[in-house]
C-alpha cells in the first residue's frame, strides 16, 4: 500500500489517494460555506431567518466556533488512534457534521445552539484522522509534503465553490436552504468513504494503540464526568438567566487557552515517549505558537473582513450588487492560480531549515496584508465605499501564506512523534490553531474601542516581527527538530508497539 516512492500528480493518483482527495474536498465544502456566511447569518435580523445578534457578537462568533472545533481536535485524533480507528472516525465525523447542518437549517435559535457545536465536533473528528490516514498511507516522508500540498490545493475548489453557492443561497434565497445543501454534501462524503474502505487495506481499520479494558473504563468515567459538569453548568446558567451568546463566546475563549496547554502537557508527559521525542516536541512548540498567530490573522477573513465587505466595499459589478460572501472566494481562487508557481519554487526551500523559513514567509505575508488593510480602513473612514481591489490584495497575501504554511506544518507535525501518536500530534496542531481562533474572538472586540487603522496596523506589525524572528532563529529551531541518536532500546517499553511502524 505504500506510495512513498511514487509521485502523486493529478494524472497519477492511486485509488486510495483519489478517495481521500475527493472526500476532503467535499467535507471542506460545508466548512468553507459556513465560513462565508456565519457572521452574515448571525447578524441578520431574526425576521429574515438570521440569529439577530449584535454585530460585535456576530464578528466574534466565527472565531469562537472555529476555536471550539480545533480545541476538540486532539480528542478527535485520540478517538481515531485508540477507539474507533482512523477510517471509522472519518465516517463518524461526516455523519455528526451532517446532523449539525440539518439542525442549522431549522429556523430557531435553539437549533443553531445545537447545530454549531455538532458541526464543530464533526470537523474535529474528521480532520485529524483524515490527515493521519494520508500520513500512514504514504508510509514515509518522501513525496508526502507534495501529496499533502496537492490535496490542500484541491480543497480550494470547494473553498471557491462554497461561498458562491452557499453564499448566494443564504444571502439571496434562504439560510435554511444553504445549510441543507451543506448537509447533503456531508452525507455524500460519508457514503463515499464507507463504500471505498477496501482501497485502504488494513490501514486505519483498527486503532493503532487500542485501549485496554482499564483505560476504556477510565475514559468512560472521565467523559461522563466532563459531560455531566458541562450539562450542569449550562442548566445552572440557563435557570439563572445568565446564558447568552456573549458568555458562551467568552467561555470558549478561556477554554481555547487552557485546553492547548493541558493537551500539550498530557502528550509531552506520556510514558510512551522517549527523551528524543520530548526534545522534538519542545522545539515544535514554537511552530505550534507561530501557527496560532498565523491562523488568528487568517480567521479575520470570515469575521471583520466579511463585515467590512458588506458595509464598506463597493460591490456593484456590471450593474449588479454581488453578495458580500462572494469575496470569500478570492483566497481559494488565488491559491488555485498560484499553486503551480509555488510548487515549482518551494522545493528550493527544502533544506533542513525549511520549516521555520516557510512559517516565517507565511507570517510576513499575512502581516503585510493587514498593514495594507490598515491603509484601506483610512480610506473607508470618510464614508465612501472603497474598491473591492483593496480586499482582494489582502486575500492574495492570505492565499500565498496559506499554501506555503499549511502543507509544511501538517507534514512536519507527522514526523515529531512516533506513528502511534500521529493522530494526537495532528490534533495538537489544530488545538493551537484553535487557540488562534479563541484569541481572535477576544481580539476582535478591540476593534470596538481601538481605531480600525491602529487595530490592523498592530496585528500586521506583530505578525511581521514574529515572522522575521522565525527567519533569524531558523538554524536553532531546525536543530531542535532534528532526529537524535536515541535507539529503540532507550525508549520506554510502552512505546515498543509503535517502533516498527515509525
Amino acid at each position: 500500500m505504500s506510495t512513498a516512492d511514487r509521485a502523486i500528480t493529478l494524472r497519477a493518483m492511486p485509488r486510495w489517494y483519489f478517495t481521500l482527495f475527493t472526500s476532503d474536498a467535499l467535507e471542506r465544502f460545508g466548512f468553507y460555506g459556513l465560513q462565508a456566511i456565519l457572521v452574515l447569518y448571525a447578524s441578520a435580523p431574526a425576521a429574515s431567518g438570521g440569529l439577530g445578534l449584535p454585530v460585535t457578537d456576530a464578528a466574534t462568533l466565527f472565531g469562537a466556533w472555529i476555536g471550539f472545533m480545533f480545541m476538540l481536535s486532539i480528542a478527535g485524533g485520540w478517538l481515531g488512534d485508540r477507539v474507533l480507528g482512523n477510517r471509522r472516525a472519518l465516517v463518524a465525523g461526516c455523519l455528526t457534521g451532517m446532523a449539525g447542518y440539518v439542525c442549522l437549517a431549522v429556523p430557531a435559535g435553539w437549533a443553531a445552539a445545537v447545530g454549531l457545536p455538532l458541526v464543530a465536533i464533526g470537523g474535529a473528528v474528521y480532520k485529524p484522522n483524515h490527515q493521519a490516514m494520508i500520513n500512514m498511507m504514504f508510509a514515509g516522508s518522501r513525496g508526502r509534503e507534495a501529496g499533502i500540498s496537492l490535496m490542500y490545493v484541491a480543497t480550494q475548489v470547494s473553498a471557491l465553490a462554497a461561498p458562491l453557492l452557499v453564499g448566494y443561497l443564504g444571502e439571496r434565497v434562504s439560510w435554511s436552504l444553504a445549510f441543507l445543501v451543506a448537509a447533503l454534501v456531508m452525507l455524500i462524503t460519508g457514503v463515499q468513504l464507507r463504500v471505498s474502505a477496501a482501497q485502504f487495506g488494513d490501514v486505519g481499520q483498527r486503532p493503532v494503540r487500542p485501549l485496554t479494558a482499564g483505560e476504556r473504563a477510565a475514559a468512560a468515567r472521565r467523559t461522563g464526568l466532563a459531560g455531566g459538569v458541562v450539562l450542569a453548568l449550562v442548566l445552572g446558567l440557563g435557570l439563572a438567566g445568565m446564558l447568552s451568546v456573549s458568555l458562551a463566546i467568552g467561555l470558549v475563549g478561556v477554554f481555547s487557552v487552557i485546553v492547548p496547554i493541558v493537551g500539550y502537557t498530557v502528550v509531552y508527559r506520556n510514558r510512551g515517549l522517549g527523551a528524543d521525542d520530548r526534545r522534538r516536541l519542545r522545539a515544535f512548540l514554537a511552530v505550534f505558537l507561530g501557527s496560532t498567530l498565523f491562523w488568528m490573522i487568517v480567521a479575520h477573513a470570515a469575521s471583520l473582513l466579511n463585515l467590512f465587505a458588506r458595509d464598506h466595499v463597493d460591490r456593484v459589478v456590471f450593474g449588479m450588487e454581488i453578495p458580500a460572501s462572494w469575496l470569500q472566494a478570492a483566497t481559494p481562487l488565488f491559491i488555485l492560480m498560484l499553486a503551480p508557481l509555488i510548487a515549482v519554487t518551494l522545493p528550493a526551500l527544502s533544506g533542513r531549515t525549511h520549516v521555520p523559513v516557510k512559517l516565517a514567509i507565511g507570517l510576513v505575508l499575512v502581516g503585510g496584508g493587514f498593514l495594507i488593510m490598515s491603509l484601506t480602513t483610512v480610506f473607508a473612514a470618510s464614508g465612501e465605499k472603497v474598491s473591492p481591489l483593496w480586499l482582494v490584495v489582502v486575500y492574495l497575501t492570505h492565499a500565498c501564506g496559506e499554501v506555503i504554511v499549511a502543507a509544511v506544518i501538517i507534514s512536519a507535525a507527522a514526523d515529531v512523534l512516533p506513528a502511534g501518536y500521529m493522530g494526537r500530534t495532528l490534533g495538537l496542531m489544530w488545538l493551537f490553531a484553535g487557540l488562534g481562533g479563541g484569541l481572535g474572538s477576544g481580539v476582535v472586540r478591540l476593534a470596538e474601542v481601538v481605531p480600525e487603522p491602529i487595530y490592523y496596523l498592530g496585528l500586521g506589525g506583530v505578525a511581521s516581527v514574529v515572522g522575521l524572528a522565525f527567519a533569524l532563529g531558523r538554524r536553532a529551531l531546525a536543530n531542535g527538530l532534528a532526529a537524535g541518536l536515541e535507539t529503540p532500546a532507550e525508549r520506554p517499553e510502552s512505546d515498543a508497539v509503535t517502533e516498527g511502524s515509525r
Side-chain angles (χ1 to χ4, degrees):
M1 297 300 295
S2 171
T3 58
D5 298 321
R6 294 177 57 187
I8 302 293
T9 67
L10 286 173
R11 294 184 178 181
M13 288 188 184
R15 291 178 63 195
W16 67 263
Y17 183 87
F18 179 77
T19 296
L20 292 177
F21 182 91
T22 53
S23 66
D24 199 40
L26 289 171
E27 189 272 342
R28 291 288 89 182
F29 179 89
F31 173 83
Y32 286 115
L34 191 58
Q35 174 176 290
I37 67 172
L38 181 56
V39 66
L40 304 175
Y41 162 69
S43 61
S48 64
L51 297 180
L53 297 182
V55 171
T56 301
D57 283 345
T60 57
L61 182 60
F62 178 78
W65 174 77
I66 200 170
F68 180 68
M69 180 176 70
F70 290 164
M71 184 169 58
L72 295 176
S73 291
I74 192 163
W78 176 87
L79 193 68
D81 278 350
R82 309 216 55 193
V83 181
L84 296 178
N86 302 110
R87 280 198 339 235
R88 283 189 291 176
L90 289 180
V91 177
C94 290
L95 296 180
T96 305
M98 181 196 71
Y101 288 119
V102 170
C103 286
L104 285 171
V106 178
W110 66 264
V114 174
L116 282 173
L118 282 177
V119 173
I121 292 169
V125 174
Y126 177 90
K127 202 60 184 174
N129 286 289
H130 182 272
Q131 291 161 351
M133 285 294 297
I134 296 169
N135 283 297
M136 288 190 295
M137 289 300 294
F138 271 108
S141 60
R142 181 181 176 182
R144 181 171 58 202
E145 187 173 329
I148 293 173
S149 298
L150 181 61
M151 192 171 294
Y152 183 79
V153 170
T155 64
Q156 303 311 308
V157 176
S158 283
L160 176 60
L164 300 179
L165 178 58
V166 176
Y168 178 81
L169 291 176
E171 290 190 67
R172 299 293 168 83
V173 182
S174 163
W175 299 112
S176 295
L177 182 58
F179 293 127
L180 284 175
V181 168
L184 177 61
V185 173
M186 289 299 294
L187 176 61
I188 294 171
T189 309
V191 171
Q192 181 213 22
L193 287 166
R194 183 66 184 88
V195 301
S196 303
Q199 298 173 3
F200 303 102
D202 293 332
V203 177
Q205 183 177 1
R206 299 178 183 85
V208 177
R209 298 174 63 241
L211 294 174
T212 64
E215 288 173 329
R216 283 197 299 270
R221 285 196 303 270
R222 291 169 184 169
T223 302
L225 178 62
V229 169
V230 171
L231 181 61
L233 180 62
V234 170
L235 290 175
L237 291 172
L239 292 173
M242 299 172 60
L243 199 59
S244 66
V245 173
S246 297
L247 178 62
I249 291 172
L251 288 174
V252 169
V254 170
F255 279 105
S256 69
V257 175
I258 296 173
V259 174
I261 296 172
V262 174
Y264 179 88
T265 303
V266 169
V267 174
Y268 183 83
R269 297 177 62 182
N270 190 288
R271 288 179 296 177
L273 299 182
D276 199 43
D277 298 320
R278 292 192 176 92
R279 174 184 59 80
R280 288 195 300 275
L281 191 57
R282 286 196 301 271
F284 208 75
L285 179 60
V287 179
F288 282 144
L289 293 174
S291 71
T292 293
L293 178 58
F294 178 84
W295 294 117
M296 185 182 79
I297 298 288
V298 169
H300 277 71
S303 56
L304 286 186
L305 298 188
N306 210 359
L307 291 172
F308 185 87
R310 185 190 68 182
D311 300 332
H312 300 294
V313 172
D314 181 4
R315 294 180 279 112
V316 177
V317 179
F318 300 119
M320 182 188 76
E321 186 178 55
I322 64 172
S325 56
W326 279 19
L327 285 172
Q328 295 287 301
T331 297
L333 178 61
F334 282 129
I335 290 177
L336 290 171
M337 293 170 59
L338 295 172
L341 175 62
I342 293 175
V344 171
T345 57
L346 277 187
L349 301 175
S350 60
R352 63 189 299 271
T353 62
H354 77 108
V355 173
V357 167
K358 291 174 182 176
L359 185 55
I361 293 172
L363 285 167
V364 170
L365 280 168
V366 295
F370 262 36
L371 297 179
I372 295 171
M373 193 63 203
S374 175
L375 182 61
T376 306
T377 56
V378 172
F379 295 142
S382 65
E384 292 286 334
K385 292 197 172 184
V386 301
S387 168
L389 292 178
W390 287 101
L391 267 185
V392 167
V393 171
V394 175
Y395 290 145
L396 174 60
T397 64
H398 287 189
C400 294
E402 275 196 54
V403 79
I404 291 170
V405 169
V408 69
I409 292 180
I410 294 171
S411 180
D415 284 332
V416 175
L417 296 180
Y421 298 86
M422 189 179 296
R424 276 165 290 175
T425 308
L426 294 169
L428 273 181
M429 180 190 70
W430 291 113
L431 261 187
F432 280 89
L435 174 59
L439 291 175
S441 67
V443 170
V444 161
R445 291 189 178 275
L446 292 177
E448 283 189 301
V449 295
V450 176
E452 280 190 301
I454 302 300
Y455 177 85
Y456 289 109
L457 180 66
L459 286 179
V462 169
S464 300
V465 168
V466 172
L468 292 174
F470 270 101
L472 294 173
R474 61 191 182 278
R475 290 187 177 85
L477 182 55
N479 289 337
L481 296 176
L485 300 178
E486 183 184 30
T487 65
E490 294 174 312
R491 279 224 185 133
E493 184 178 348
S494 59
D495 193 41
V497 66
T498 65
E499 190 62 38
S501 59
R502 189 174 179 185

